[in-house]
Amino acid sequence: MSNQKYILFFSAVMLMSSCKEYLDVKPKGKLIPSSVADYDHLLDNTSTVELNFLDGNKGSVLAHIGDNLEVTEGQGKVGYILSSHPNVERYYGYTYRQPYKNPNLDDQFWSAGSQGMYPQVSYFNNVIEGIRGIGQKTQEEEALARTTTAQALVARAWCYLNANMIYGPVFKPGAANAARTIPYVVDVDINKPIPDLSTSAEVAARVLRELHEALPNLPVRSSWPSRANKATGHAMLAYYHLFTQKYDSVVHYANLAWTAAGNPANVIYDYNKFRLADPARPLTSLILTPQDNLTNVVNSREILFYRATERDAGVGASLSYPSAEMIALFDKTTDLRYSFFYLNAPGYKTTQGGGFDDGMRISHYRFRKMKLTDGFSWPEILLMRAEGYARMNKLDLAIADLNTLRQYRHKTGTPELTVGTQDQVIQQVLEERRRELPIGGFKRFLDLKRFTLENGKPWSKAQIVHKVGGQTYTGTIDSKDFIIPISNVVLKFNPNWGIPLETRPY
């Protein structure tokens, strides 16, 4: 039975001996925690923030399944297939060729060495249960225990909320959501059996309980963006309720989070004050601004809760481009995001496979110039509030939030948006969300899954169509095309789950 535990995550001993400290926290070497402070220190491990739903090269199949990226014939046939690319699952996802991932290898989203969700969950479980297991504490230790436990609960809830929808079907508010998705592991004892798979509804309900349990003890400010503070807890609840479609709750919690920011200038960069350090080399030049020198680091003013996102999504040399639909979202005259980050560059070129030359293409360089997050940015908080307002038909408030963000993103003097119909305002908010969030990562993937329930709305899609050369590939959103299955490596050790092994050739 202990073998099952290792398949999911580290044992406690291995976890403690491999702890590395995150960013500027002073290393303490090998750590066998015995005090509240020791357990608190575990939350600074790099693996808990840098290896979330990413493959070993900091990319992800999820963005390739969606509609933000485009893969050309040369990139696919040579860059991925002929070259035996180690992350060929990205191309398989783009062409909806299942199984996307090799079912007989460790799933790097789930658990592969230090990478994956369950090694992270193991850290959080050890923090939560370790602190609860400490007997007598001083008053100071009690305060730290409450804060650290709350931060670990939020971090664990973030993993489970997203995994539930990545490994499960579309979450449908008001329905049973009875599909069994993932095991909600909370125990640290390696000798105990793995729990059964929870249903999508059970995971969602427990995530909600744990977020509310954590919220009163989250600090107003955290020591680093990798750790949740009060605004993060509110942001998590707002994000949760986007999927339950309780938009009054989205507005309530997003507003609580946004209010903590104070002046928008404290948490949003004004792109009008950006300039390239080396204008002659726009592809490689860093961005300079008098606002601060933190645009490309984790404690950027725009990052509320840091979790790593894809590194090279949309960069032609890294085998994808922004999709034509994505590029068309931008006002190329006034939107400074387009000016700084969507750059004309030499595309993919090779003599192999008969030769392919994509010529000059628009590639996406935002990640190389600014630090992004798949956690929560402050602009996303504002856009969640705007979406809640729009869906509650408070259109003037939604447009006001959009205009607040746009004044920092568009050239000075760009006319403000005006109120249209409810559907028009919702569409404007969701397009702005797509422009603002990372082009890679998993958030667009999950947005497509929640939007597909709104059949007939301009922002809703039932299918995604990709083209490679003369071939068309179609993925249906409310289907297995948008579900990552559990690998055979895990299923073999958990036959009680009743899921048949994947036997299709890879």
Side-chain angles (χ1 to χ4, degrees):
M1 192 61 72
S2 62
N3 283 341
Q4 295 181 27
K5 200 74 172 183
Y6 281 107
I7 292 298
L8 278 176
F9 49 64
F10 291 154
S11 71
V13 172
M14 186 175 179
L15 181 152
M16 304 312 170
S17 66
S18 64
C19 182
K20 297 183 297 181
E21 308 315 323
Y22 183 53
L23 298 174
D24 65 347
V25 180
K26 186 179 295 185
K28 293 179 67 175
K30 293 182 179 180
L31 174 66
I32 305 299
S34 59
S35 67
V36 174
D38 288 339
Y39 282 108
D40 176 74
H41 210 63
L42 290 180
L43 292 185
D44 295 319
N45 185 280
T46 56
S47 299
T48 64
V49 296
E50 293 291 349
L51 303 172
N52 302 280
F53 307 113
L54 298 172
D55 59 42
N57 289 305
K58 295 294 185 73
S60 177
V61 65
L62 300 177
H64 291 74
I65 294 172
D67 59 358
N68 278 353
L69 301 178
E70 176 181 318
V71 177
T72 62
E73 187 174 13
Q75 290 172 324
K77 291 183 177 180
V78 179
Y80 279 110
I81 302 300
L82 190 60
S83 300
S84 299
H85 194 282
N87 304 116
V88 70
E89 73 268 14
R90 301 179 198 171
Y91 184 61
Y92 287 163
Y94 188 79
T95 55
Y96 303 107
R97 182 270 196 202
Q98 298 188 42
Y100 304 148
K101 298 186 177 192
N102 188 330
N104 298 309
L105 296 179
D106 287 333
D107 175 9
Q108 292 171 323
F109 289 4
W110 187 282
S111 178
S114 63
Q115 186 165 0
M117 178 186 74
Y118 280 101
Q120 296 177 45
V121 165
S122 183
Y123 273 95
F124 306 139
N125 290 347
N126 273 276
V127 170
I128 295 164
E129 298 308 317
I131 288 176
R132 288 172 176 171
I134 295 175
Q136 193 170 5
K137 305 181 187 76
T138 67
Q139 187 174 356
E140 182 180 352
E141 287 173 332
E142 287 283 3
L144 180 61
R146 288 192 295 271
T147 296
T148 303
T149 300
Q151 290 177 322
L153 283 168
V154 170
R156 185 172 75 186
W158 184 89
C159 289
Y160 282 137
L161 174 63
N162 293 307
N164 189 40
M165 295 182 287
I166 289 170
Y167 286 94
V170 171
F171 186 86
K172 297 176 179 177
N177 293 300
R180 295 158 69 241
T181 58
I182 56 173
Y184 207 115
V185 180
V186 298
D187 209 290
V188 298
D189 187 345
I190 65 173
N191 295 309
K192 288 188 177 181
I194 299 302
D196 199 0
L197 296 174
S198 295
T199 67
S200 181
E202 288 168 343
V203 173
R206 183 152 191 172
V207 163
L208 185 61
R209 289 198 305 271
E210 293 194 344
L211 288 174
H212 281 294
E213 177 186 347
L215 191 60
N217 294 313
L218 290 171
V220 174
R221 293 179 178 83
S222 59
S223 58
W224 203 253
S226 58
R227 290 172 174 252
N229 59 21
K230 191 80 75 177
T232 307
H234 290 141
M236 276 284 295
L237 286 162
Y239 186 64
Y240 176 96
H241 285 298
L242 287 177
F243 294 92
T244 66
Q245 297 182 352
K246 294 181 179 179
Y247 297 115
D248 56 341
S249 293
V250 173
V251 168
H252 174 73
Y253 289 114
N255 185 61
L256 287 172
W258 181 251
T259 302
N263 188 332
N266 294 336
V267 294
I268 305 180
Y269 286 109
D270 185 348
Y271 282 22
N272 288 282
K273 298 177 181 178
F274 280 6
R275 66 179 178 86
L276 295 177
D278 186 355
R281 295 178 175 82
L283 302 185
T284 57
S285 177
L286 296 178
I287 285 175
L288 301 178
T289 176
Q291 296 166 94
D292 61 37
N293 62 351
L294 304 175
T295 56
N296 202 28
V297 294
V298 169
N299 58 331
S300 155
R301 69 176 60 188
E302 293 198 350
I303 293 179
L304 169 61
F305 186 58
Y306 178 69
R307 291 296 186 266
T309 188
E310 275 197 72
R311 183 171 58 190
D312 292 321
V315 177
S318 297
L319 304 183
S320 66
Y321 301 102
S323 66
E325 182 179 288
M326 184 72 187
I327 292 172
L329 288 174
F330 290 87
D331 184 325
K332 298 170 183 59
T333 303
T334 67
D335 197 322
L336 294 169
R337 288 168 297 197
Y338 187 83
S339 303
F340 281 112
F341 307 133
Y342 286 79
L343 305 177
N344 202 30
Y348 183 79
K349 183 177 181 179
T350 181
T351 58
Q352 298 183 61
F356 294 92
D357 186 353
D358 291 345
M360 297 295 290
R361 293 287 300 257
I362 297 296
S363 280
H364 176 265
Y365 287 87
R366 190 177 187 186
F367 183 90
R368 296 189 177 187
K369 298 177 184 295
M370 296 191 73
K371 183 62 74 174
L372 305 177
T373 180
D374 264 349
F376 295 104
S377 68
W378 285 104
E380 184 181 2
I381 308 306
L382 186 60
L383 290 169
M384 286 196 289
R385 188 175 75 170
E387 182 176 346
Y389 280 147
R391 291 182 181 276
M392 293 174 67
N393 209 28
K394 298 181 179 182
L395 305 183
D396 54 339
L397 295 176
I399 288 295
D401 280 349
L402 280 187
N403 283 327
T404 294
L405 179 59
R406 283 167 57 88
Q407 71 174 309
Y408 292 90
R409 296 298 193 244
H410 286 253
K411 291 181 180 178
T412 301
T414 300
E416 291 191 338
L417 298 176
T418 56
V419 176
T421 67
Q422 184 179 22
D423 276 4
Q424 286 172 339
V425 173
I426 293 173
Q427 176 80 346
Q428 286 175 311
V429 172
L430 298 182
E431 287 179 350
E432 193 65 36
R433 176 178 173 85
R434 191 174 174 189
R435 282 188 286 263
E436 185 61 33
L437 267 57
I439 192 173
F442 62 80
K443 285 203 170 175
R444 178 61 181 171
F445 175 86
L446 295 186
D447 278 350
L448 286 167
K449 293 180 78 165
R450 68 183 177 98
F451 298 155
T452 199
L453 298 173
E454 301 176 89
N455 185 42
K457 295 298 184 181
W459 54 86
S460 176
K461 297 179 179 182
Q463 296 180 321
I464 303 297
V465 178
H466 293 153
K467 293 183 179 180
V468 181
Q471 186 70 41
T472 298
Y473 304 91
T474 302
T476 299
I477 295 172
D478 193 4
S479 79
K480 290 185 177 180
D481 294 338
F482 273 67
I483 298 172
I484 300 300
I486 301 172
S487 76
N488 288 348
V489 176
V490 174
L491 295 178
K492 286 178 181 178
F493 286 92
N494 297 278
N496 55 304
W497 292 351
I499 300 177
L501 298 181
E502 174 62 74
T503 58
R504 288 174 291 183
Y506 188 73

